[in-house]
Structure formats: structure tokens, C-alpha cells
Amino acid sequence: MSKLTGWWKNRGSAGKVELYTRWSFHLFVLIEITSFGVAPLASAAENPSALALPLSLFLMLCAHAVLCGVLSSKALSWVVGRRDRPTRLAVTTAALTAAAVLVVLTLKATGKIDEPAIAPTLVAGLTCFTAGSLVLCMRSVRNMRYVAPAAAAATGAAVLALGMKAGYALGYSLGVLLGCLFFSATCGFSAWLLRTVYELDHAREAQARLAVAEERLRFGRDLHDVMGRNLAVIALKSELAVQLARRERPEAVDQMIEVQRIARESQREVRDVVRGYREADLAVELEGARGVLAAAGMDCRVDFEAGRTLPAEVQSALGWVVREATTNVLRHGDAQSCLIRLTAPAEGSVTLVVENDGAPEVPAGPPGSGLAGLRERLAALDGTLRAGPVDGGRFRLRAEIPGPRDERLEVRA
């Protein structure tokens, strides 16, 4: 059963919207054939001797439906940025549709189509579905709004040019106008929705990359502030020591001793900076996880309970677990809610559980190094890490560090 449903569950929000939209337009092919192509065949059932013309019209409509389906599929690929705009195919579809409509109207004008409902039905089916496919190939609403009036005007002009009455021309024009307006609005909204969903998905990925870039800039700025002044002093005192040594002055030794002191101090300050960068603060990471998950549109709530502070090494290890788990929730699956629970009883192990919904049953790619790095950090404290899917389509990450702890903190995100 998981293999049958994985094609849907393993997709993100943007992928699900795209799949739904594509199959909706594939269904349009069947709708056009069954709704508008049956009319000629129904008339042929009453007169089996004249089957050639109705069958030809039915096959023509089937070919047109398939052509519009192919154009819609390629246009949707252009909407999501996977290919170039199918301009040539759109022009070809419009030209073939115009030719088909002209053939139907000519047959109607010459009396070869005597049923009153066949010609209007065929003309409506040909023009409306073509209008919807053409709208998918347009980005500007200004261009979309001209499709329906242009189709109605061209149809009315063709009816008049074939010598039919003005009332017929008006009826054809109004029918084509209303049908094309409906299909243009529907298809235009579908393309806009699909484009918007993908833009939001790309924005969420960009937000995660910006957060990483911001952290790197912060580290670089702190390192520059620490090392910039000290290196400048070391360079100046070293130059002074060189000048004093050339003059055989005993002060050169004092300057080199000062250079040595500043170098050792700089080494200590760099360790402090790196330690502050590598040691994650648990409270900061929990609050950051809440903010990031809320910004991503997930159900997010934070509750703190009073308790003593955990040791620094435990906070650092669990803080990295929260950071990595939050990144995985954002980058994988389609989570709507997440639960982070930290349990630190007076006696026993400290347990951190991160559980979210919307996780794919099958990972999208090879396992990364994030969880392996967390296991190494926890192993230094005799801790363990387990991660995997659980019942209800959820994914659970559980970190446990043994030892008595007198704190209980629960965070719901």
C-alpha cells in the first residue's frame, strides 16, 4: 500500500499542486471528447448510411483534444520553469483550431450538417479548449483578456463571411465569448496558483540558505574583530623588533616577548570565538526553531517550565540536535506541525524528542552527514540518537543522554 500511495505522499506542497493541476488538464482531453465529440456520432446513429462525415468530425475533435492536452502539459512545464515557452506549438494549435472551426462552419453553411446543435457544439468545444491552452502560455493578464474577444470576433466574422444570417453570427459570437471567458479564467488562475506555490517553495529554500549565510557572516565578523587588531599590533611590534635587532638594541627581546604574549592571547580568543560558534545554546536554538517553523507556516507554540539549567556540554549537544532537526523539517517533507519535547527529570536520562508530520515514507536521496555528526556529539556524552518514521505518517527523532537531571522543559512547535 505504501508503494501505491508514495507517489503522492512523497511529494512536497508544490509537487502535489503541480500533479493535481496536470491531471486536471489531462482530464480536459476526455471531457472535450465525451462532451463535444458525441454529438456527431449521435446524429450518425439515426442515419447509419451517412457515417463518414460524423466519424470524420469526431476524429477531428479527438485529434484537437490531444493537441490541446500536449500544449497544456508543455505550457505547465514552462510555468514552473522547466522548459521554454511552447510558442510554436501554441501558434500551430491556434491555426489548426481556426481551420477546424472554418471547416465546421462551411459544412453548416452548405447544408452538409443539417442538425442544428452539431455545428455550435463543435465550434464551442474547439474554441474554448484552445483558448484555455493558449492562456497557459501567457504570463501577462493583459494578453490573456484578449483571447476570448478575439475568438468570438473571428468566429462571428467567419459566420458572416460564409453568408449566414447576422443572428447566427451573434449567437456564435456570444457562445464562444462566454465559453472562452470561462476557460481563460480557469486556466489563468490555475497557472497563477501553480507559479505562486513554486515561488513560495523557492522562497522557503532561500530563507534557509540565507540563515546559513548570515551565521557564516556573523562568525567571520567576530573572527575579524578579534584578530584584526591583534594582528596589526603583532605586525607593528615585529617590525619594531627587527629595527631594534639591527641596531643591536636589547629592547628587541622585550618587543618579541610582547609579540609572543599577544600571539598567545590571540590564540585563546580565537578558541573562544570558535567555541561560541560550535557550542549551540539550547534556549536560543529552541526559540530559533520556533521562529523558523512559524515563519514557514507550521503550527508553532512554545511553552517553558521552570527548572535548573542543564550542564553546558549537554545544552550544546541538544542544541545541535534541535538545529539539525529543524533544518530537516524545513527541507524534507511537507510538515504542518512539529513537536519538540525535552524531558529532564531529577533522576534518569535527559530525553529530547522532535516529531513532525508530513514526512515522506521513502527518503528523497542518500542519507546525509547531519545525523551522523549528531551521533558523534552525543556519543561523547554516552548519549544515543534514533530517527525514523512512526505511526500516523510522522517522523520522530529521539536523543537521549544518561544521567540524573533536575529539569523538565517542553516545547511545542
Side-chain angles (χ1 to χ4, degrees), residues 150-410:
T155 304
V159 172
L160 291 176
L162 292 172
M164 287 188 271
K165 298 179 180 179
Y168 287 123
L170 180 60
Y172 276 102
S173 298
L174 288 178
V176 170
L177 178 62
L178 294 178
C180 290
L181 283 176
F182 173 77
F183 274 82
S184 297
T186 302
C187 296
F189 177 78
S190 298
W192 171 83
L193 178 62
L194 184 60
R195 187 180 294 113
T196 302
V197 169
Y198 266 96
E199 288 177 355
L200 291 175
D201 190 64
H202 295 331
R204 187 172 67 175
E205 294 179 358
Q207 183 182 19
R209 291 194 296 268
L210 287 176
V212 175
E214 183 179 358
E215 181 65 17
R216 290 176 178 174
L217 289 175
R218 184 196 67 80
F219 176 72
R221 183 173 59 252
D222 293 345
L223 189 62
H224 177 270
D225 293 341
V226 169
M227 295 298 298
R229 177 185 60 84
N230 291 345
L231 290 176
V233 174
I234 289 174
L236 181 61
K237 288 187 173 293
S238 298
E239 183 179 358
L240 179 58
V242 170
Q243 297 298 330
L244 292 175
R246 288 176 178 175
R247 298 176 186 178
E248 298 182 355
R249 300 285 298 274
E251 292 87 349
V253 177
D254 297 334
Q255 295 298 326
M256 291 307 299
I257 293 175
E258 183 67 13
V259 168
Q260 187 181 33
R261 184 191 66 80
I262 297 174
R264 290 177 177 174
E265 182 180 353
S266 300
Q267 188 178 22
R268 179 183 58 80
E269 291 179 352
V270 169
R271 288 197 190 100
D272 293 338
V273 171
V274 174
R275 186 180 300 111
Y277 178 73
R278 296 184 63 184
E279 292 184 358
D281 184 83
L282 182 57
V284 174
E285 293 301 330
L286 290 173
E287 182 63 21
R290 184 204 65 79
V292 171
L293 294 176
M298 300 181 194
D299 184 15
C300 184
R301 188 181 69 192
V302 177
D303 297 327
F304 287 99
E305 295 183 5
R308 71 175 183 85
T309 304
L310 291 173
E313 63 274 13
V314 176
Q315 287 202 43
S316 177
L318 295 180
W320 274 100
V321 173
V322 173
R323 180 184 298 181
E324 180 67 21
T326 303
T327 302
N328 291 338
V329 171
L330 288 173
R331 297 182 61 182
H332 307 294
D334 184 24
Q336 300 297 323
S337 64
C338 179
L339 170 66
I340 304 176
R341 178 182 293 115
L342 176 63
T343 305
E347 296 182 359
S349 302
V350 179
T351 304
L352 175 66
V353 176
V354 181
E355 184 175 323
N356 64 277
D357 62 353
E361 296 183 2
V362 179
S369 59
L371 295 181
L374 294 181
R375 289 189 174 93
E376 293 178 359
R377 291 179 181 273
L378 293 173
L381 302 173
D382 296 329
T384 58
L385 179 71
R386 290 180 294 176
V390 294
D391 295 338
R394 301 179 68 85
F395 187 89
R396 178 182 298 166
L397 185 147
R398 178 187 175 90
E400 185 174 354
I401 300 177
R405 311 294 173 191
D406 299 329
E407 183 184 26
R408 181 176 178 85
L409 174 66
E410 183 175 283

Side-chain angles (χ1 to χ4, degrees), residues 32-217:
E32 181 178 357
I33 294 174
T34 56
S35 300
F36 298 92
V38 175
L41 295 180
S43 64
E46 300 177 358
N47 187 10
S49 60
L51 183 60
L53 180 59
L55 183 60
S56 300
L57 294 176
F58 175 75
L59 294 177
M60 180 186 69
L61 191 68
C62 291
H64 177 267
V66 174
L67 181 62
C68 289
V70 173
L71 176 59
S72 299
S73 179
K74 293 186 176 182
L76 290 176
S77 298
W78 167 72
V79 168
V80 299
R82 296 199 187 99
R83 58 161 299 144
D84 296 333
R85 184 187 308 193
T87 305
R88 293 183 178 179
L89 183 59
V91 173
T92 302
T93 302
L96 292 178
T97 301
V101 170
L102 189 59
V103 168
V104 173
L105 293 176
T106 302
L107 293 175
K108 178 64 177 177
T110 56
K112 293 184 178 180
I113 298 180
D114 52 1
E115 291 290 335
I118 293 179
T121 300
L122 292 176
V123 170
L126 292 169
T127 54
C128 293
F129 284 95
T130 299
S133 300
L134 293 178
V135 164
L136 289 177
C137 301
M138 301 177 182
R139 187 181 296 273
S140 174
V141 179
R142 178 181 301 178
N143 295 332
M144 295 180 185
R145 64 186 183 183
Y146 293 136
V147 174
T155 304
V159 172
L160 291 176
L162 292 172
M164 287 188 271
K165 298 179 180 179
Y168 287 123
L170 180 60
Y172 276 102
S173 298
L174 288 178
V176 170
L177 178 62
L178 294 178
C180 290
L181 283 176
F182 173 77
F183 274 82
S184 297
T186 302
C187 296
F189 177 78
S190 298
W192 171 83
L193 178 62
L194 184 60
R195 187 180 294 113
T196 302
V197 169
Y198 266 96
E199 288 177 355
L200 291 175
D201 190 64
H202 295 331
R204 187 172 67 175
E205 294 179 358
Q207 183 182 19
R209 291 194 296 268
L210 287 176
V212 175
E214 183 179 358
E215 181 65 17
R216 290 176 178 174
L217 289 175

